[in-house]
Amino acid sequence: ELENQLTAKSKTLDELKQSLALNGSAEQTPEAQSLRIAELCEMKDSIVNQVAQLKASMESILEQWRAYDEIYAEVSLMTTRYLYCIDQCKPSGEEASLEALKNQVKTLQ
């Protein structure tokens, strides 16, 4: 999307250059027009550099989010397993007597 906007702005800049060249504005001398065109080109180059920096920054951020998603999935799985184990280890309605615990150990083995 940013690249499309940059392309559109470049086309607009080119059109302005052509318009200035064709009109031969009486208000500005050719030297002033050349300076203005040079200014606009510098501004365009600055925008291109900013877009490149933004793109690199966004790629880095996306990579960090991918890592976060992977780690989150692992933690979620471990949490689910932990909760399942906790649920399975609860005494089933009986008091936690020694005999009930022995039966549970036999079941787990």
Side-chain angles (χ1 to χ4, degrees):
E1 182 181 328
L2 289 174
E3 290 176 352
N4 292 339
Q5 290 177 359
L6 183 59
T7 303
K9 300 245 184 225
S10 291
K11 287 179 184 177
T12 303
L13 180 61
D14 291 338
E15 290 171 5
L16 284 173
K17 285 179 189 178
Q18 290 174 356
S19 174
L20 282 173
L22 293 176
N23 289 339
S25 175
E27 298 173 7
Q28 293 184 348
T29 65
E31 294 82 15
Q33 289 177 352
S34 294
L35 288 174
R36 181 66 180 146
I37 290 172
E39 241 178 66
L40 291 172
C41 287
E42 286 178 24
M43 290 169 66
K44 176 187 156 195
D45 291 341
S46 172
I47 291 171
V48 168
N49 289 335
Q50 289 175 5
V51 168
Q53 289 173 352
L54 180 61
K55 201 174 196 179
S57 176
M58 292 302 292
E59 287 174 4
S60 171
I61 291 169
L62 285 173
E63 186 59 39
Q64 291 174 1
W65 273 108
R66 282 186 206 107
Y68 169 82
D69 286 341
E70 290 174 11
I71 292 170
Y72 180 82
E74 288 178 29
V75 169
S76 179
L77 180 62
M78 288 191 299
T79 302
T80 302
R81 287 178 179 167
Y82 170 76
L83 291 174
Y84 177 79
C85 289
I86 294 293
D87 189 51
Q88 294 301 311
C89 292
K90 287 182 184 175
S92 56
E94 307 169 8
E95 289 297 319
S97 67
L98 181 59
E99 189 62 34
L101 291 174
K102 285 180 183 179
N103 288 336
Q104 193 173 14
V105 168
K106 286 180 186 176
T107 302
L108 290 174
Q109 291 174 345

